[in-house]
Amino acid sequence: MSDRLYIFDTTLRDGEQSPGCSMNIEEKMRVAHSLATLGVDIIEAGFPIASPGDFEAVHRIALEVEGPRIAGLARATQKDIERAGEAVKPAGDRARIHTFIATSPIHMEAKLRMTPDQVVERAVEAVKLARSLAPEVEFSAEDAGRSEMDFLCRIVEATIAAGARIINVPDTVGYMTPDEFGARIGELMTRVPNSDQAIFSVHCHNDLGLAVANSLAAVENGARQVECTINGLGERAGNAALEEMVMILRTRSDRYDIETNIDTTKIVPTSKLVSQITGMPIQPNKAIVGANAFAHESGIHQDGVLKHQKTYEIMTPESVGWNTNRMVLGKHSGRAALTARYKALGVTLEGEKLATVFERFKILADKKKDIFDEDLMVILSGDSEVELERVKLVSLHAASGTRDTPIAAVELDIEGEIHSATAQGDGPVDAAFQAIKSLVEPKGKLLLYSVNAITAGTDAQGEVTVRLQDGDRIVNGQGSDTDIVVASAKALIAALNKLPNMHAKEVHAQYSGV
Ligand code: KIV
Ligand code: ZN
């Protein structure tokens, strides 16, 4: 009989803490549904006390997303815990409060300014309060990797006695090495007298590139919950990547007789969705989900794979959801075929949503011969943004050439009124950006502009990510189109739409930057 490992996904909480990765509620809902389809056991949906938006996202996920347990994060304070309890309540018996306090000497002294005794007392009170508000409580000893072992044993024993049923041991700063972290988990589980009453969990950061290796070492030593994120998103260098953790256990089942509930064929679609929504591109050589993860370039490798796939492939691309089949859908395809293909991708479309998506599909099929699954996910992602758009692109004309100064003319619908502008730039994209920015306020500072071809061929859809900063707010926008200038304009507008108080620039009904 193999053991079971619980996958706790924190893409929506720790992942969202990656600089520039903030998501709006609709985006979080899409990610949460996709995580449920992927088969994660627990979704950490957010940090409810952080903002009303965070609270609402956790609350809606708890209300609408079926399947996984829904966790809300809370510091070990009454306010945090009560707010988290209220947010996760709609999940009923699947609701979890995840409360934490730091336990390392440096955190207790410099950050909390509390003695170890006070920290234990606070942790116990927090767990007891959380236990009165939710059926399941997880306790995390923040910076456990750098905490003293005797103290860690003491606080773990006390919090289990207070009612925590999941004990999480975070390597908050990514300092541990696999052998010491594994040993730490093993020691905790043997030394803490009531350890059999809890599931031991780990939460590893990737500052030294060891998050997955450390999590694996913990599993070898008895941990049965791993906290991870899609594409390894998370604070600083990120968290353990879910896709890597799951595929190690599956591919090396000869070594690890441990199962997860993950439907591995949903890994790539989920990874792409998260990348599109957060605007965080996936590096091409990223394990499992990078565009080159299954690409064989050298002649020797290609020859080997053609003769026998296993010569150079330890897992199949299909097993993680890389779909090499071309879509046969085209402009003559009907709703039934489209609905069926989306269903295969784990998305159910009905009613008005289906009508909108179908209309977008037809527009794309007119411009593009081959429609790939990735195209369908892009069409889908445009779907819910519509209601949130204060600014919409009405038209764009850009001209450039080796002898001409690039110029762009745009028409924008800003809260129901049409505004137009023309501007010159260093290239057609720059000209389009100048024209758009001349019509709105605030404009934000451009931090990142990146272009990706989502599918192959010169008629591929280009996907553009734009990151803007306005004060301390950083937002991302994505746009895709077969025309890269149009994709760029859409991305900029999507980002502008996320800036609070974004509005039409007063005075100029007509502006010319030329
Ligand atoms: O890294 C960390 O310690 C955390 C905790 C809140 C679990 O994210
Ligand atoms: Zn963390």
Side-chain angles (χ1 to χ4, degrees):
M1 255 301 260
S2 65
D3 255 331
R4 174 83 154 78
L5 178 72
Y6 294 97
I7 299 293
F8 176 113
D9 182 278
T10 182
T11 307
L12 292 171
R13 200 279 297 168
D14 216 316
E16 215 217 1
Q17 287 172 219
S18 310
C21 265
S22 65
M23 302 172 232
N24 64 37
I25 291 187
E26 295 306 324
E27 292 167 337
K28 286 184 183 176
M29 292 309 298
R30 290 216 313 273
V31 171
H33 280 296
S34 152
L35 291 171
T37 311
L38 178 65
V40 307
D41 297 288
I42 304 105
I43 295 177
E44 184 161 58
F47 191 7
I49 196 83
S51 70
D54 254 62
F55 175 87
E56 201 189 328
V58 179
H59 196 253
R60 256 189 78 188
I61 290 169
L63 198 64
E64 293 176 28
V65 176
E66 285 168 17
R69 290 172 151 79
I70 308 298
L73 185 69
R75 286 166 298 191
T77 69
Q78 187 180 342
K79 266 194 184 158
D80 275 41
I81 293 168
E82 285 173 352
R83 196 83 174 128
E86 211 182 320
V88 296
K89 201 168 181 180
D93 58 3
R94 293 181 295 114
R96 179 183 292 186
I97 296 177
H98 175 192
T99 185
F100 72 99
I101 192 163
T103 53
S104 63
I106 182 163
H107 275 238
M108 290 192 290
E109 283 157 29
K111 184 181 82 172
L112 299 175
R113 297 184 202 285
M114 286 167 79
T115 64
D117 286 349
Q118 287 171 326
V119 169
V120 175
E121 197 182 325
R122 177 77 77 77
V124 166
E125 274 170 22
V127 169
K128 283 187 179 160
L129 174 61
R131 193 60 199 83
S132 71
L133 298 172
E136 199 167 65
V137 176
E138 169 170 338
F139 171 73
S140 279
E142 191 192 7
D143 205 16
R146 294 188 298 171
S147 300
E148 281 167 5
M149 206 54 207
D150 289 350
F151 182 63
L152 207 50
C153 289
R154 179 178 160 206
I155 200 163
V156 166
E157 183 182 352
T159 48
I160 294 176
R165 286 296 161 262
I166 300 95
I167 293 295
N168 185 37
V169 184
D171 181 20
T172 304
V173 290
Y175 181 70
M176 294 270 95
T177 61
D179 54 342
E180 56 178 348
F181 194 60
R184 188 157 271 246
I185 300 301
E187 189 178 337
L188 262 178
M189 291 183 68
T190 14
R191 274 184 59 189
V192 172
N194 52 3
S195 66
D196 60 330
Q197 293 172 36
I199 291 174
F200 279 70
S201 164
V202 288
H203 174 111
C204 296
H205 278 271
N206 206 29
D207 300 65
L208 294 172
L210 289 172
V212 171
N214 285 341
S215 305
L216 198 61
V219 171
E220 282 173 8
N221 283 277
R224 284 296 174 266
Q225 174 179 285
V226 166
E227 303 199 351
C228 40
T229 55
I230 302 293
N231 302 336
L233 292 181
E235 279 273 359
R236 307 181 310 278
N239 289 69
L242 179 149
E243 60 278 7
E244 294 174 19
M245 196 64 214
V246 168
M247 288 315 288
I248 292 168
L249 296 178
R250 188 178 145 149
T251 310
R252 297 307 310 273
S253 56
D254 56 321
R255 272 184 71 87
Y256 305 100
D257 195 14
I258 295 177
E259 286 185 350
T260 70
N261 187 47
I262 299 296
D263 174 355
T264 60
T265 63
K266 301 287 184 321
I267 286 179
V268 169
T270 312
S271 153
K272 289 189 180 219
L273 179 74
V274 169
S275 169
Q276 276 163 20
I277 285 179
T278 57
M280 202 61 117
I282 304 165
Q283 73 193 60
N285 60 336
K286 165 84 179 62
I288 322 290
V289 294
N292 292 349
F294 292 89
H296 301 280
E297 180 67 25
S298 92
I300 297 172
H301 287 209
Q302 287 176 352
D303 180 52
V305 171
L306 287 173
K307 286 180 175 146
H308 196 302
Q309 197 175 21
K310 285 195 172 163
T311 51
Y312 287 100
E313 275 182 8
I314 56 169
M315 53 200 152
T316 65
E318 293 78 18
S319 69
V320 294
W322 282 107
N323 191 337
T324 45
N325 297 331
R326 283 187 160 208
M327 283 292 301
V328 287
L329 295 179
K331 61 179 170 185
H332 301 298
S333 306
R335 284 164 198 248
L338 185 72
T339 317
R341 189 62 215 155
Y342 270 116
K343 200 159 180 215
L345 295 170
V347 180
T348 309
L349 286 181
E350 291 164 342
E352 250 178 58
K353 195 167 178 188
L354 171 61
T356 316
V357 170
F358 186 63
E359 199 179 315
R360 286 169 187 260
F361 163 73
K362 286 284 183 185
I363 293 170
L364 183 64
D366 259 342
K367 293 193 205 169
K368 188 171 188 291
K369 199 160 51 80
D370 298 317
I371 306 286
F372 296 87
D373 289 351
E374 289 86 345
D375 295 316
L376 294 184
M377 294 316 279
V378 170
I379 295 173
L380 191 71
S381 70
D383 180 36
S384 54
E385 279 158 23
V386 178
E387 307 114 53
L388 305 164
E389 287 172 355
R390 277 166 291 157
V391 178
K392 296 185 193 106
L393 182 65
V394 177
S395 73
L396 167 65
H397 175 78
S400 64
T402 49
R403 289 172 193 269
D404 307 313
T405 306
I407 185 164
V410 291
E411 270 186 308
L412 300 182
D413 174 334
I414 308 179
E415 289 172 327
E417 265 185 40
I418 303 294
H419 299 250
S420 47
T422 307
Q424 290 179 339
D426 286 337
V429 172
D430 185 44
F433 277 26
Q434 302 294 344
I436 292 167
K437 285 188 160 197
S438 71
L439 294 172
V440 295
E441 246 164 10
K443 303 175 196 317
K445 180 174 166 223
L446 187 65
L447 296 183
L448 173 118
Y449 170 80
S450 83
V451 186
N452 264 310
I454 308 175
T455 46
T458 49
D459 67 349
Q461 284 212 80
E463 185 183 63
V464 174
T465 300
V466 162
R467 187 172 298 159
L468 294 179
Q469 179 166 28
D470 181 44
D472 56 6
R473 175 125 183 148
I474 295 176
V475 293
N476 289 311
Q478 286 82 47
S480 36
D481 200 275
T482 45
D483 180 323
I484 211 70
V485 184
V486 176
S488 304
K490 285 182 179 174
L492 176 63
I493 290 168
L496 287 168
N497 271 315
K498 290 186 186 171
L499 290 179
N501 311 321
M502 211 268 305
H503 58 275
K505 186 172 172 186
E506 281 148 29
V507 248
H508 301 289
Q510 187 80 28
Y511 169 90
S512 174
V514 183

